């Protein structure tokens, strides 16, 4: 791991800690130095920006305790689901326009 | 005369095995099961019905019966004999079972057994596409029904978007599935549809396993009042009795019933129970609130299997009674989804069953801490997909359609 990579992985672990504190009003029990290696794997898979989005989304779902280990094992599923939801958002936007047109044409 | 032997003899005489095969009733053959299997196997191999003597050669104990009627007649007789004997057995077993088991358990077993037998009292229906005269009769009937019902063969929802995209309306035999996360407006939406049906002169029946009939009635009054009363006043019983009395007297004068059914939170409710209520009240539309709280007729323990069975049984209720049925379903929580948007069909564990059974599936989603409810179709077998919003003052029962992004 280069120094630059380590910095990014550390930044994401810090992001996790901040999100955890916001949600539970206490700091999580994690070993930052060990977790940075797993976080680096997440960055290698989906990139830094997407990893950050996934972490933010992780805290919107109902997983009790939001353990970091669970995130490392399931970030790909969260990613897949986010893609699906984004596609649905676009579809709903399109349908809303179509529906509006249909209603106006029949008034 | 043994009715199994009579049917087999009739098939051999009349050479019309298809009458029996179409009914898919292998399990009604008991004493002559081997002969029936032999007959089917001969037919499958040689694509011809053998002479009865061929069966006699193979099955020495088989004694053919002299028959003169149509195969369908003997088929009816066999089904009737089979049902009679099964019902007799069921009653005897239930009587014995009552000695050691609770009555509720005995009723549950009887329901399950009756549901299996119901298959033999229903029949599949065939339509020959080339019989265009039959088609014309059907079109006449649909046209007459549409004219009587204000332009659509089904019940209109009162929402422009849905009524345009779903031109049949909530028609007889349709299963409409309403999905949503817990507490996001599914019950309000379906109760509103019931109110709209009632205002058009239909008789709705809501089976609520979640709320007491009194709570549900408060909601209905709020919606029917459309701004005259507040739901909170009904809940606290602080509504002005004179205002309410004079409004209700006028509103409910010479109208159809509006039935609310509840199990008061106890006891299992199966589709058979719902059927009994349909027989009792003869509603024009049934709303089942909600799917996960019902029990299937087989009393399945595995949740996905149970829910798939319920979905199929609800569809059967709609078809058998020739009425629309609305099935309210909570989306299934999973580990990788938030609940910030209307659920996808795939976010219901038994989504495959909905895909097969539902004529229309829509997701209903209220944005937390707002009056805004999004309604999006997830499946529409009879028209196009749609999406729109409702500005819903739940406390006053006032609903406004919105066709712009509200946020």
């Amino acid at each position: 791991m280069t120094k630059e990579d380590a910095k990014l992985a550390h930044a994401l672990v810090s992001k996790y800690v901040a999100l955890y504190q916001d949600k539970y009003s206490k700091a999580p029990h994690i070993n930052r130095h060990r977790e940075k290696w797993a976080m680096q794997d997440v960055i290698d898979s989906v990139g830094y920006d997407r990893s950050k989005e996934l972490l933010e989304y992780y805290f919107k779902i109902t997983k009790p305790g939001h353990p970091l280990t669970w995130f490392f094992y399931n970030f790909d599923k969260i990613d897949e689901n986010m893609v699906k939801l984004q596609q649905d958002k676009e579809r709903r936007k399109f349908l809303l326009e179509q529906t509006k047109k249909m209603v106006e044409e029949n008034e | 005369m043994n009715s199994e032997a009579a049917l087999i003899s009739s098939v051999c005489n009349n050479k019309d095995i298809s009458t029996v095969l179409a009914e898919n009733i292998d399990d009604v053959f008991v004493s002559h099961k081997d002969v029936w299997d032999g007959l089917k196997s001969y037919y499958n191999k040689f694509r011809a019905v053998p002479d009865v003597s061929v069966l006699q050669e193979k099955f020495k104990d088989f004694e053919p019966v002299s028959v003169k009627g149509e195969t369908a007649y003997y088929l009816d007789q066999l089904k009737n004999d089979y049902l009679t004997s099964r019902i007799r057995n069921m009653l005897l077993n239930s009587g014995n079972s009552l000695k050691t088991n609770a009555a509720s358990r005995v009723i549950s077993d009887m329901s399950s057994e009756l549901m299996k037998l119901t298959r033999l009292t229903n029949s599949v229906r065939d339509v020959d596409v080339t019989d265009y005269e039959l088609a014309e009769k059907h079109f006449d009937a649909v046209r007459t029904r549409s004219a009587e019902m204000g332009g659509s063969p089904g019940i209109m929802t009162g929402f422009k978007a849905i009524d345009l995209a779903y031109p049949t309306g909530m028609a007889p035999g349709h299963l409409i599935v309403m999905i949503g996360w817990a507490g996001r407006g599914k019950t309000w939406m379906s109760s509103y549809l019931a109110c709209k049906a009632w205002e058009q002169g239909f008789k709705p029946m809501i089976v609520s396993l979640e709320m007491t009939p009194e709570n549900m009635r408060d909601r209905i009054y709020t919606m029917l009042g459309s701004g005259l009363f507040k739901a909170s006043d009904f809940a606290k019983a602080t509504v002005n009795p004179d205002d309410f009395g004079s409004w209700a007297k006028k509103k409910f004068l010479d109208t159809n019933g509006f039935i609310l059914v509840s199990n008061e939170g106890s006891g299992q409710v199966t589709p058979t129970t719902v059927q009994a209520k349909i027989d009792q009240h003869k509603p024009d539309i049934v709303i089942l609130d909600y799917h996960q709280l019902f029990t299937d007729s087989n009393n399945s323990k595995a949740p996905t299997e149970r829910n798939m069975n319920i979905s199929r049984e609800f569809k059967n209720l709609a078809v058998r009674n020739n009425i629309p049925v609305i099935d309210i379903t909570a989306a299934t929580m999973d580990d990788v989804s938030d609940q910030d948007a209307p659920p996808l069909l795939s976010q219901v564990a038994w989504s495959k069953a909905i895909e097969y059974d539902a004529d229309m599936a829509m997701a209903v989603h209220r944005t937390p801490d707002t009056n805004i409810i999004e309604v999006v179709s997830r499946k529409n077998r009879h028209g196009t997909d749609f999406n729109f919003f409702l500005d819903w003052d739940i406390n006053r029962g006032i609903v406004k359609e919105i066709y712009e992004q509200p946020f």
Side-chain angles (χ1 to χ4, degrees), chain B residues 82-97:
Chain B
Y82 177 79
L83 286 170
T84 307
S85 113
R86 287 289 294 269
I87 291 170
R88 197 170 284 141
N89 278 344
M90 182 185 71
L91 292 174
L92 281 171
N93 290 338
S94 302
N96 286 333
S97 178

Side-chain angles (χ1 to χ4, degrees), chain B residues 67-207:
Chain B
V67 288
K68 293 192 175 101
E70 295 296 320
T71 301
Y73 168 74
Y74 296 103
L75 178 61
D76 262 5
Q77 269 200 331
L78 173 58
K79 277 172 31 179
N80 189 54
D81 287 354
Y82 177 79
L83 286 170
T84 307
S85 113
R86 287 289 294 269
I87 291 170
R88 197 170 284 141
N89 278 344
M90 182 185 71
L91 292 174
L92 281 171
N93 290 338
S94 302
N96 286 333
S97 178
L98 264 179
K99 291 174 191 163
T100 49
N101 289 317
S104 55
R105 171 75 192 269
V106 177
I107 289 173
S108 166
D109 291 346
M110 284 175 83
S111 296
S112 168
E113 181 68 17
L114 277 175
M115 206 66 190
K116 285 181 204 156
L117 293 181
T118 311
R119 190 176 66 81
L120 292 173
T121 60
N122 296 328
S123 52
V124 290
R125 213 156 47 85
D126 306 331
V127 169
D128 182 351
V129 174
T130 62
D131 187 352
Y132 65 91
E133 286 174 346
L134 184 71
E136 282 173 348
K137 273 186 198 162
H138 170 73
F139 297 145
D140 278 346
V142 174
R143 258 195 305 272
T144 311
R145 188 178 160 86
S146 299
E148 281 169 0
M149 297 181 59
S152 162
I155 300 171
M156 307 309 276
T157 64
F159 295 117
K160 283 179 223 153
I162 304 182
D163 291 339
L164 287 167
Y166 182 36
T168 60
M170 297 182 284
H174 282 199
L175 177 68
I176 299 135
V177 177
M178 207 169 276
I179 61 173
W181 302 111
R184 299 296 174 92
K186 300 181 298 293
T187 302
W188 279 103
M189 177 74 181
S190 53
S191 312
Y192 186 85
L193 297 185
C195 291
K196 287 288 146 196
W198 181 81
E199 283 173 344
Q200 291 169 65
F202 299 101
K203 184 180 183 181
M205 180 173 91
I206 301 177
V207 183

Side-chain angles (χ1 to χ4, degrees), chain A residues 57 60-62, chain B residues 181-182 184 333-334 337-341 365 368:
Chain A
Y57 185 76
K60 285 187 181 176
I61 67 181
T62 52
Chain B
W181 302 111
R184 299 296 174 92
M333 294 236 288
D334 61 27
S337 296
D338 61 16
Q339 296 176 14
D340 290 349
H365 183 77

Side-chain angles (χ1 to χ4, degrees), chain A residues 11-105:
Chain A
L12 281 186
V13 173
S14 299
K15 177 79 188 166
Y16 170 81
V17 172
L19 289 166
Y20 189 97
Q21 275 176 329
D22 273 356
K23 186 153 189 91
Y24 296 104
S25 308
K26 63 176 184 182
H29 294 288
I30 55 165
N31 179 341
R32 278 175 163 271
H33 295 288
R34 196 184 61 197
E35 305 302 3
K36 81 172 178 209
W37 292 98
M39 194 60 92
Q40 185 56 46
D41 285 344
V42 180
I43 296 172
D44 289 345
S45 299
V46 294
Y48 174 79
D49 290 339
R50 186 63 172 171
S51 304
K52 201 170 153 194
E53 283 171 14
L54 292 178
L55 263 178
E56 283 163 357
Y57 185 76
Y58 179 41
F59 278 87
K60 285 187 181 176
I61 67 181
T62 52
K63 182 75 191 165
H66 293 88
L68 189 52
T69 325
W70 192 92
F71 176 77
F72 291 144
Y73 282 113
N74 292 280
F75 75 91
D76 52 337
K77 284 184 202 150
I78 298 174
D79 188 32
E80 213 173 275
N81 193 52
M82 275 181 77
V83 170
K84 222 161 47 173
L85 292 179
Q86 183 57 34
Q87 283 169 348
D88 184 58
K89 196 175 174 184
E90 281 156 23
R91 178 180 172 270
R92 284 187 284 119
K93 194 176 162 201
F94 171 75
L95 281 179
L96 181 64
E97 285 162 14
Q98 296 296 108
T99 308
K100 185 184 176 193
K101 216 165 121 190
M102 177 177 69
V103 169
E104 283 171 353
E105 279 169 3

